[in-house]
Amino acid sequence: MTLWRWASLAGIAFLAIALSFGKIPGIDACHVAAEPILAFEFVRTPADVMPLFPAACRDTLVAAQRSGLWLDILGFVPVYSALLILTLLALGGENRGERRLVRAGLPLTVIAALADQWENAHLLRILGALPGSQATIDALIPAVRIKFFLLAVAELLIGALHLFRPGWRKLTGAAITLGAVISLAGLFGPRTWLTLGGTIAFVALIAANVVLAIRRPRASV
């Protein structure tokens, strides 16, 4: 099976898991935030935690966030890592001269995934003893930002590799790059830009993988 086909399968799994986060029972209980999972990731103090878990639906929200974290740990992090790595390898197989970008993107993806798992472990610690300690949150803060930053950079590299290709590939590269830039802006502006940018980048990336799996199955394992 070609790398593009493996990347397409990873993309389908990515979409399935990404959509399932919003369907976790109770995740939107009490409507504490527009994006409760993202809001929890970006807490800075124990005082930021408690408004996300009001007494009226605390048990429901804790259970929902815990389910989301285990879905991330066991499913989403491995799948998005595989998706980005397979996509980078497939793109590198098209042109050996561009493999320097692949070599840069692979470790960035791995470090982002490790930061994500570090983040998940500390979020679980907070859930286990609300509102958590400042020390736990201090360990969480850099991991969240490293994860989003490195994922956006990996997306930029994938966008650049598509931009080197002719025709519709340039449009794909532009869309992925745009999404990555919006995600980076979300680290300094509205947090919802992280979700918006990631959605644009990954949808464009996955759509390209599917088309290339059907039309140009060249790079193989």
Side-chain angles (χ1 to χ4, degrees), residues 9-56:
L9 291 174
I12 292 168
F14 174 95
L15 291 174
I17 297 174
L19 292 172
S20 69
F21 281 105
K23 299 182 183 300
I24 295 172
I27 195 64
D28 200 29
C30 291
H31 305 286
V32 296
E35 297 189 43
I37 292 175
L38 191 65
F40 187 30
E41 289 180 308
F42 277 93
V43 295
R44 285 184 169 273
T45 67
D48 294 336
V49 174
M50 292 315 293
L52 300 177
F53 299 91

mmCIF file of all heavy atoms in Angstrom, residues 9-56:
data_model
loop_
_atom_site.group_PDB
_atom_site.id
_atom_site.type_symbol
_atom_site.label_atom_id
_atom_site.label_comp_id
_atom_site.label_asym_id
_atom_site.label_seq_id
_atom_site.Cartn_x
_atom_site.Cartn_y
_atom_site.Cartn_z
ATOM 1 N N LEU A 9 -5.931 6.936 5.076
ATOM 2 C CA LEU A 9 -6.589 6.191 6.145
ATOM 3 C C LEU A 9 -6.413 6.897 7.488
ATOM 4 O O LEU A 9 -7.354 6.989 8.294
ATOM 5 C CB LEU A 9 -6.045 4.768 6.210
ATOM 6 C CG LEU A 9 -6.409 3.847 5.043
ATOM 7 C CD1 LEU A 9 -5.682 2.516 5.176
ATOM 8 C CD2 LEU A 9 -7.922 3.627 4.982
ATOM 9 N N ALA A 10 -5.207 7.402 7.728
ATOM 10 C CA ALA A 10 -4.966 8.146 8.958
ATOM 11 C C ALA A 10 -5.822 9.406 8.997
ATOM 12 O O ALA A 10 -6.326 9.799 10.065
ATOM 13 C CB ALA A 10 -3.485 8.510 9.077
ATOM 14 N N GLY A 11 -6.009 10.027 7.836
ATOM 15 C CA GLY A 11 -6.838 11.226 7.766
ATOM 16 C C GLY A 11 -8.293 10.941 8.089
ATOM 17 O O GLY A 11 -8.961 11.733 8.772
ATOM 18 N N ILE A 12 -8.810 9.826 7.599
ATOM 19 C CA ILE A 12 -10.189 9.447 7.896
ATOM 20 C C ILE A 12 -10.350 9.194 9.394
ATOM 21 O O ILE A 12 -11.324 9.630 10.021
ATOM 22 C CB ILE A 12 -10.587 8.210 7.076
ATOM 23 C CG1 ILE A 12 -10.651 8.578 5.588
ATOM 24 C CG2 ILE A 12 -11.936 7.655 7.542
ATOM 25 C CD1 ILE A 12 -10.746 7.386 4.674
ATOM 26 N N ALA A 13 -9.385 8.495 9.987
ATOM 27 C CA ALA A 13 -9.421 8.249 11.432
ATOM 28 C C ALA A 13 -9.337 9.566 12.198
ATOM 29 O O ALA A 13 -10.029 9.756 13.217
ATOM 30 C CB ALA A 13 -8.279 7.324 11.826
ATOM 31 N N PHE A 14 -8.500 10.479 11.722
ATOM 32 C CA PHE A 14 -8.370 11.799 12.346
ATOM 33 C C PHE A 14 -9.709 12.516 12.383
ATOM 34 O O PHE A 14 -10.128 13.039 13.431
ATOM 35 C CB PHE A 14 -7.346 12.624 11.564
ATOM 36 C CG PHE A 14 -7.225 14.056 12.006
ATOM 37 C CD1 PHE A 14 -6.245 14.426 12.914
ATOM 38 C CD2 PHE A 14 -8.084 15.025 11.519
ATOM 39 C CE1 PHE A 14 -6.135 15.750 13.329
ATOM 40 C CE2 PHE A 14 -7.984 16.350 11.935
ATOM 41 C CZ PHE A 14 -7.001 16.709 12.831
ATOM 42 N N LEU A 15 -10.398 12.542 11.253
ATOM 43 C CA LEU A 15 -11.687 13.237 11.185
ATOM 44 C C LEU A 15 -12.710 12.591 12.112
ATOM 45 O O LEU A 15 -13.470 13.286 12.802
ATOM 46 C CB LEU A 15 -12.207 13.241 9.752
ATOM 47 C CG LEU A 15 -11.423 14.098 8.755
ATOM 48 C CD1 LEU A 15 -11.966 13.901 7.345
ATOM 49 C CD2 LEU A 15 -11.481 15.580 9.147
ATOM 50 N N ALA A 16 -12.725 11.273 12.143
ATOM 51 C CA ALA A 16 -13.689 10.564 12.993
ATOM 52 C C ALA A 16 -13.469 10.901 14.469
ATOM 53 O O ALA A 16 -14.425 11.166 15.209
ATOM 54 C CB ALA A 16 -13.586 9.058 12.766
ATOM 55 N N ILE A 17 -12.207 10.899 14.894
ATOM 56 C CA ILE A 17 -11.916 11.193 16.296
ATOM 57 C C ILE A 17 -12.161 12.665 16.604
ATOM 58 O O ILE A 17 -12.742 13.012 17.644
ATOM 59 C CB ILE A 17 -10.477 10.793 16.652
ATOM 60 C CG1 ILE A 17 -10.290 9.282 16.496
ATOM 61 C CG2 ILE A 17 -10.138 11.218 18.078
ATOM 62 C CD1 ILE A 17 -8.863 8.814 16.682
ATOM 63 N N ALA A 18 -11.744 13.552 15.697
ATOM 64 C CA ALA A 18 -11.923 14.986 15.921
ATOM 65 C C ALA A 18 -13.402 15.328 16.103
ATOM 66 O O ALA A 18 -13.772 16.116 16.985
ATOM 67 C CB ALA A 18 -11.332 15.775 14.757
ATOM 68 N N LEU A 19 -14.263 14.724 15.284
ATOM 69 C CA LEU A 19 -15.696 14.990 15.390
ATOM 70 C C LEU A 19 -16.286 14.394 16.665
ATOM 71 O O LEU A 19 -17.271 14.914 17.204
ATOM 72 C CB LEU A 19 -16.420 14.444 14.165
ATOM 73 C CG LEU A 19 -16.121 15.165 12.849
ATOM 74 C CD1 LEU A 19 -16.735 14.405 11.678
ATOM 75 C CD2 LEU A 19 -16.654 16.605 12.887
ATOM 76 N N SER A 20 -15.685 13.330 17.162
ATOM 77 C CA SER A 20 -16.241 12.657 18.337
ATOM 78 C C SER A 20 -16.029 13.446 19.627
ATOM 79 O O SER A 20 -16.760 13.248 20.602
ATOM 80 C CB SER A 20 -15.645 11.252 18.475
ATOM 81 O OG SER A 20 -14.275 11.308 18.822
ATOM 82 N N PHE A 21 -15.051 14.355 19.660
ATOM 83 C CA PHE A 21 -14.837 15.142 20.874
ATOM 84 C C PHE A 21 -16.091 15.941 21.247
ATOM 85 O O PHE A 21 -16.462 16.032 22.414
ATOM 86 C CB PHE A 21 -13.649 16.100 20.710
ATOM 87 C CG PHE A 21 -12.307 15.443 20.879
ATOM 88 C CD1 PHE A 21 -11.512 15.185 19.782
ATOM 89 C CD2 PHE A 21 -11.841 15.093 22.132
ATOM 90 C CE1 PHE A 21 -10.268 14.581 19.929
ATOM 91 C CE2 PHE A 21 -10.598 14.488 22.298
ATOM 92 C CZ PHE A 21 -9.814 14.232 21.187
ATOM 93 N N GLY A 22 -16.717 16.522 20.239
ATOM 94 C CA GLY A 22 -17.910 17.321 20.502
ATOM 95 C C GLY A 22 -19.125 16.502 20.888
ATOM 96 O O GLY A 22 -20.127 17.066 21.353
ATOM 97 N N LYS A 23 -19.041 15.178 20.725
ATOM 98 C CA LYS A 23 -20.161 14.295 21.052
ATOM 99 C C LYS A 23 -19.993 13.580 22.391
ATOM 100 O O LYS A 23 -20.808 12.740 22.758
ATOM 101 C CB LYS A 23 -20.351 13.271 19.933
ATOM 102 C CG LYS A 23 -20.665 13.902 18.571
ATOM 103 C CD LYS A 23 -20.882 12.845 17.508
ATOM 104 C CE LYS A 23 -21.127 13.477 16.138
ATOM 105 N NZ LYS A 23 -22.315 14.348 16.134
ATOM 106 N N ILE A 24 -18.928 13.913 23.113
ATOM 107 C CA ILE A 24 -18.724 13.304 24.433
ATOM 108 C C ILE A 24 -19.882 13.715 25.343
ATOM 109 O O ILE A 24 -20.170 14.918 25.485
ATOM 110 C CB ILE A 24 -17.386 13.750 25.038
ATOM 111 C CG1 ILE A 24 -16.223 13.224 24.201
ATOM 112 C CG2 ILE A 24 -17.262 13.274 26.482
ATOM 113 C CD1 ILE A 24 -14.871 13.779 24.608
ATOM 114 N N PRO A 25 -20.571 12.774 25.946
ATOM 115 C CA PRO A 25 -21.705 13.117 26.816
ATOM 116 C C PRO A 25 -21.300 14.077 27.938
ATOM 117 O O PRO A 25 -20.326 13.829 28.659
ATOM 118 C CB PRO A 25 -22.135 11.759 27.391
ATOM 119 C CG PRO A 25 -21.667 10.767 26.383
ATOM 120 C CD PRO A 25 -20.375 11.317 25.849
ATOM 121 N N GLY A 26 -22.012 15.188 28.032
ATOM 122 C CA GLY A 26 -21.780 16.137 29.110
ATOM 123 C C GLY A 26 -20.679 17.144 28.873
ATOM 124 O O GLY A 26 -20.445 18.005 29.723
ATOM 125 N N ILE A 27 -20.004 17.094 27.732
ATOM 126 C CA ILE A 27 -18.869 17.991 27.518
ATOM 127 C C ILE A 27 -19.308 19.450 27.478
ATOM 128 O O ILE A 27 -18.528 20.349 27.794
ATOM 129 C CB ILE A 27 -18.094 17.615 26.223
ATOM 130 C CG1 ILE A 27 -16.717 18.295 26.191
ATOM 131 C CG2 ILE A 27 -18.902 17.981 24.988
ATOM 132 C CD1 ILE A 27 -15.783 17.850 27.274
ATOM 133 N N ASP A 28 -20.555 19.696 27.120
ATOM 134 C CA ASP A 28 -21.056 21.069 27.047
ATOM 135 C C ASP A 28 -22.030 21.373 28.181
ATOM 136 O O ASP A 28 -22.812 22.318 28.103
ATOM 137 C CB ASP A 28 -21.747 21.296 25.694
ATOM 138 C CG ASP A 28 -21.855 22.764 25.342
ATOM 139 O OD1 ASP A 28 -20.985 23.540 25.786
ATOM 140 O OD2 ASP A 28 -22.819 23.140 24.645
ATOM 141 N N ALA A 29 -21.986 20.578 29.242
ATOM 142 C CA ALA A 29 -22.884 20.806 30.379
ATOM 143 C C ALA A 29 -22.663 22.191 30.977
ATOM 144 O O ALA A 29 -21.529 22.659 31.097
ATOM 145 C CB ALA A 29 -22.662 19.743 31.448
ATOM 146 N N CYS A 30 -23.734 22.851 31.316
ATOM 147 C CA CYS A 30 -23.721 24.201 31.904
ATOM 148 C C CYS A 30 -23.179 25.273 30.947
ATOM 149 O O CYS A 30 -23.097 26.439 31.324
ATOM 150 C CB CYS A 30 -22.928 24.244 33.210
ATOM 151 S SG CYS A 30 -23.732 23.361 34.561
ATOM 152 N N HIS A 31 -22.771 24.883 29.751
ATOM 153 C CA HIS A 31 -22.291 25.840 28.742
ATOM 154 C C HIS A 31 -21.238 26.788 29.326
ATOM 155 O O HIS A 31 -21.339 28.013 29.207
ATOM 156 C CB HIS A 31 -23.463 26.626 28.153
ATOM 157 C CG HIS A 31 -24.529 25.749 27.586
ATOM 158 N ND1 HIS A 31 -24.385 25.064 26.392
ATOM 159 C CD2 HIS A 31 -25.761 25.415 28.057
ATOM 160 C CE1 HIS A 31 -25.479 24.363 26.146
ATOM 161 N NE2 HIS A 31 -26.334 24.550 27.142
ATOM 162 N N VAL A 32 -20.230 26.212 29.937
ATOM 163 C CA VAL A 32 -19.227 27.022 30.634
ATOM 164 C C VAL A 32 -18.294 27.765 29.680
ATOM 165 O O VAL A 32 -17.698 28.778 30.046
ATOM 166 C CB VAL A 32 -18.397 26.151 31.594
ATOM 167 C CG1 VAL A 32 -19.277 25.581 32.695
ATOM 168 C CG2 VAL A 32 -17.679 25.029 30.847
ATOM 169 N N ALA A 33 -18.126 27.255 28.462
ATOM 170 C CA ALA A 33 -17.241 27.897 27.486
ATOM 171 C C ALA A 33 -17.639 27.441 26.092
ATOM 172 O O ALA A 33 -18.204 26.359 25.919
ATOM 173 C CB ALA A 33 -15.781 27.536 27.758
ATOM 174 N N ALA A 34 -17.341 28.278 25.102
ATOM 175 C CA ALA A 34 -17.656 27.912 23.717
ATOM 176 C C ALA A 34 -16.912 26.653 23.308
ATOM 177 O O ALA A 34 -17.447 25.807 22.593
ATOM 178 C CB ALA A 34 -17.313 29.068 22.785
ATOM 179 N N GLU A 35 -15.669 26.527 23.753
ATOM 180 C CA GLU A 35 -14.856 25.340 23.480
ATOM 181 C C GLU A 35 -14.266 24.867 24.806
ATOM 182 O O GLU A 35 -13.149 25.223 25.170
ATOM 183 C CB GLU A 35 -13.755 25.656 22.468
ATOM 184 C CG GLU A 35 -14.300 26.065 21.095
ATOM 185 C CD GLU A 35 -13.213 26.159 20.047
ATOM 186 O OE1 GLU A 35 -12.347 25.267 20.003
ATOM 187 O OE2 GLU A 35 -13.231 27.136 19.285
ATOM 188 N N PRO A 36 -15.027 24.063 25.552
ATOM 189 C CA PRO A 36 -14.601 23.707 26.923
ATOM 190 C C PRO A 36 -13.280 22.975 27.009
ATOM 191 O O PRO A 36 -12.513 23.181 27.963
ATOM 192 C CB PRO A 36 -15.759 22.840 27.429
ATOM 193 C CG PRO A 36 -16.496 22.391 26.207
ATOM 194 C CD PRO A 36 -16.324 23.487 25.203
ATOM 195 N N ILE A 37 -12.977 22.119 26.035
ATOM 196 C CA ILE A 37 -11.702 21.399 26.076
ATOM 197 C C ILE A 37 -10.546 22.372 25.891
ATOM 198 O O ILE A 37 -9.549 22.335 26.625
ATOM 199 C CB ILE A 37 -11.678 20.281 25.017
ATOM 200 C CG1 ILE A 37 -12.680 19.182 25.395
ATOM 201 C CG2 ILE A 37 -10.273 19.700 24.873
ATOM 202 C CD1 ILE A 37 -12.817 18.081 24.359
ATOM 203 N N LEU A 38 -10.668 23.271 24.926
ATOM 204 C CA LEU A 38 -9.623 24.267 24.679
ATOM 205 C C LEU A 38 -9.476 25.204 25.877
ATOM 206 O O LEU A 38 -8.355 25.548 26.271
ATOM 207 C CB LEU A 38 -9.956 25.061 23.416
ATOM 208 C CG LEU A 38 -8.865 25.973 22.861
ATOM 209 C CD1 LEU A 38 -7.666 25.150 22.389
ATOM 210 C CD2 LEU A 38 -9.412 26.807 21.703
ATOM 211 N N ALA A 39 -10.598 25.605 26.467
ATOM 212 C CA ALA A 39 -10.545 26.493 27.639
ATOM 213 C C ALA A 39 -9.804 25.825 28.794
ATOM 214 O O ALA A 39 -9.018 26.478 29.503
ATOM 215 C CB ALA A 39 -11.962 26.867 28.059
ATOM 216 N N PHE A 40 -10.024 24.532 28.978
ATOM 217 C CA PHE A 40 -9.341 23.805 30.057
ATOM 218 C C PHE A 40 -7.839 23.729 29.792
ATOM 219 O O PHE A 40 -7.014 23.866 30.709
ATOM 220 C CB PHE A 40 -9.953 22.412 30.188
ATOM 221 C CG PHE A 40 -9.479 21.607 31.365
ATOM 222 C CD1 PHE A 40 -9.088 22.215 32.549
ATOM 223 C CD2 PHE A 40 -9.437 20.226 31.289
ATOM 224 C CE1 PHE A 40 -8.654 21.463 33.646
ATOM 225 C CE2 PHE A 40 -9.009 19.455 32.374
ATOM 226 C CZ PHE A 40 -8.616 20.089 33.551
ATOM 227 N N GLU A 41 -7.466 23.538 28.551
ATOM 228 C CA GLU A 41 -6.043 23.448 28.213
ATOM 229 C C GLU A 41 -5.291 24.730 28.550
ATOM 230 O O GLU A 41 -4.104 24.686 28.885
ATOM 231 C CB GLU A 41 -5.872 23.165 26.717
ATOM 232 C CG GLU A 41 -6.263 21.774 26.284
ATOM 233 C CD GLU A 41 -6.078 21.570 24.797
ATOM 234 O OE1 GLU A 41 -6.589 22.406 24.008
ATOM 235 O OE2 GLU A 41 -5.430 20.594 24.403
ATOM 236 N N PHE A 42 -5.962 25.877 28.449
ATOM 237 C CA PHE A 42 -5.274 27.159 28.577
ATOM 238 C C PHE A 42 -5.462 27.828 29.934
ATOM 239 O O PHE A 42 -5.251 29.033 30.056
ATOM 240 C CB PHE A 42 -5.713 28.105 27.452
ATOM 241 C CG PHE A 42 -4.965 27.875 26.171
ATOM 242 C CD1 PHE A 42 -5.458 27.026 25.199
ATOM 243 C CD2 PHE A 42 -3.742 28.496 25.946
ATOM 244 C CE1 PHE A 42 -4.769 26.793 24.022
ATOM 245 C CE2 PHE A 42 -3.037 28.274 24.773
ATOM 246 C CZ PHE A 42 -3.550 27.428 23.814
ATOM 247 N N VAL A 43 -5.828 27.059 30.955
ATOM 248 C CA VAL A 43 -5.893 27.651 32.295
ATOM 249 C C VAL A 43 -4.495 28.079 32.738
ATOM 250 O O VAL A 43 -3.495 27.457 32.360
ATOM 251 C CB VAL A 43 -6.516 26.669 33.312
ATOM 252 C CG1 VAL A 43 -7.967 26.388 32.973
ATOM 253 C CG2 VAL A 43 -5.715 25.367 33.403
ATOM 254 N N ARG A 44 -4.459 29.122 33.542
ATOM 255 C CA ARG A 44 -3.182 29.632 34.038
ATOM 256 C C ARG A 44 -3.052 29.529 35.554
ATOM 257 O O ARG A 44 -1.929 29.530 36.077
ATOM 258 C CB ARG A 44 -3.001 31.103 33.623
ATOM 259 C CG ARG A 44 -2.655 31.281 32.152
ATOM 260 C CD ARG A 44 -2.408 32.741 31.846
ATOM 261 N NE ARG A 44 -1.822 32.942 30.537
ATOM 262 C CZ ARG A 44 -0.527 32.913 30.274
ATOM 263 N NH1 ARG A 44 0.328 32.686 31.256
ATOM 264 N NH2 ARG A 44 -0.081 33.100 29.051
ATOM 265 N N THR A 45 -4.165 29.470 36.248
ATOM 266 C CA THR A 45 -4.152 29.395 37.707
ATOM 267 C C THR A 45 -5.295 28.493 38.161
ATOM 268 O O THR A 45 -6.247 28.248 37.396
ATOM 269 C CB THR A 45 -4.356 30.785 38.339
ATOM 270 O OG1 THR A 45 -5.680 31.243 38.046
ATOM 271 C CG2 THR A 45 -3.347 31.794 37.821
ATOM 272 N N PRO A 46 -5.267 28.010 39.400
ATOM 273 C CA PRO A 46 -6.412 27.265 39.919
ATOM 274 C C PRO A 46 -7.702 28.077 39.863
ATOM 275 O O PRO A 46 -8.789 27.508 39.677
ATOM 276 C CB PRO A 46 -6.002 26.959 41.362
ATOM 277 C CG PRO A 46 -4.500 26.891 41.307
ATOM 278 C CD PRO A 46 -4.115 27.970 40.334
ATOM 279 N N ALA A 47 -7.595 29.392 39.979
ATOM 280 C CA ALA A 47 -8.789 30.241 39.892
ATOM 281 C C ALA A 47 -9.424 30.186 38.507
ATOM 282 O O ALA A 47 -10.635 30.395 38.365
ATOM 283 C CB ALA A 47 -8.426 31.681 40.247
ATOM 284 N N ASP A 48 -8.625 29.903 37.479
ATOM 285 C CA ASP A 48 -9.173 29.761 36.122
ATOM 286 C C ASP A 48 -9.923 28.441 35.961
ATOM 287 O O ASP A 48 -10.774 28.313 35.077
ATOM 288 C CB ASP A 48 -8.046 29.809 35.080
ATOM 289 C CG ASP A 48 -7.359 31.154 35.013
ATOM 290 O OD1 ASP A 48 -7.985 32.166 35.398
ATOM 291 O OD2 ASP A 48 -6.195 31.196 34.581
ATOM 292 N N VAL A 49 -9.574 27.454 36.778
ATOM 293 C CA VAL A 49 -10.136 26.118 36.624
ATOM 294 C C VAL A 49 -11.581 26.056 37.113
ATOM 295 O O VAL A 49 -12.453 25.503 36.448
ATOM 296 C CB VAL A 49 -9.274 25.074 37.381
ATOM 297 C CG1 VAL A 49 -9.946 23.702 37.342
ATOM 298 C CG2 VAL A 49 -7.876 25.015 36.786
ATOM 299 N N MET A 50 -11.851 26.620 38.272
ATOM 300 C CA MET A 50 -13.145 26.418 38.910
ATOM 301 C C MET A 50 -14.338 26.917 38.098
ATOM 302 O O MET A 50 -15.384 26.257 38.074
ATOM 303 C CB MET A 50 -13.145 27.044 40.302
ATOM 304 C CG MET A 50 -12.217 26.328 41.281
ATOM 305 S SD MET A 50 -12.341 24.509 41.230
ATOM 306 C CE MET A 50 -14.004 24.256 41.851
ATOM 307 N N PRO A 51 -14.258 28.044 37.377
ATOM 308 C CA PRO A 51 -15.408 28.450 36.567
ATOM 309 C C PRO A 51 -15.744 27.445 35.459
ATOM 310 O O PRO A 51 -16.871 27.442 34.950
ATOM 311 C CB PRO A 51 -14.969 29.790 35.971
ATOM 312 C CG PRO A 51 -13.944 30.311 36.921
ATOM 313 C CD PRO A 51 -13.218 29.098 37.405
ATOM 314 N N LEU A 52 -14.791 26.604 35.088
ATOM 315 C CA LEU A 52 -15.041 25.594 34.057
ATOM 316 C C LEU A 52 -15.766 24.377 34.613
ATOM 317 O O LEU A 52 -16.216 23.517 33.846
ATOM 318 C CB LEU A 52 -13.717 25.152 33.426
ATOM 319 C CG LEU A 52 -12.894 26.252 32.735
ATOM 320 C CD1 LEU A 52 -11.578 25.674 32.236
ATOM 321 C CD2 LEU A 52 -13.679 26.881 31.589
ATOM 322 N N PHE A 53 -15.870 24.301 35.955
ATOM 323 C CA PHE A 53 -16.514 23.159 36.605
ATOM 324 C C PHE A 53 -17.482 23.641 37.691
ATOM 325 O O PHE A 53 -17.279 23.403 38.891
ATOM 326 C CB PHE A 53 -15.454 22.236 37.209
ATOM 327 C CG PHE A 53 -14.500 21.667 36.198
ATOM 328 C CD1 PHE A 53 -13.311 22.325 35.895
ATOM 329 C CD2 PHE A 53 -14.796 20.496 35.526
ATOM 330 C CE1 PHE A 53 -12.430 21.818 34.954
ATOM 331 C CE2 PHE A 53 -13.920 19.973 34.574
ATOM 332 C CZ PHE A 53 -12.739 20.631 34.287
ATOM 333 N N PRO A 54 -18.544 24.357 37.300
ATOM 334 C CA PRO A 54 -19.493 24.853 38.299
ATOM 335 C C PRO A 54 -20.139 23.707 39.073
ATOM 336 O O PRO A 54 -20.318 22.601 38.545
ATOM 337 C CB PRO A 54 -20.521 25.619 37.461
ATOM 338 C CG PRO A 54 -20.367 25.096 36.081
ATOM 339 C CD PRO A 54 -18.938 24.707 35.927
ATOM 340 N N ALA A 55 -20.492 23.991 40.315
ATOM 341 C CA ALA A 55 -20.983 22.946 41.216
ATOM 342 C C ALA A 55 -22.194 22.220 40.657
ATOM 343 O O ALA A 55 -22.350 21.011 40.860
ATOM 344 C CB ALA A 55 -21.315 23.558 42.577
ATOM 345 N N ALA A 56 -23.046 22.923 39.925
ATOM 346 C CA ALA A 56 -24.298 22.326 39.441
ATOM 347 C C ALA A 56 -24.077 21.154 38.492
ATOM 348 O O ALA A 56 -24.930 20.267 38.392
ATOM 349 C CB ALA A 56 -25.148 23.394 38.751
#
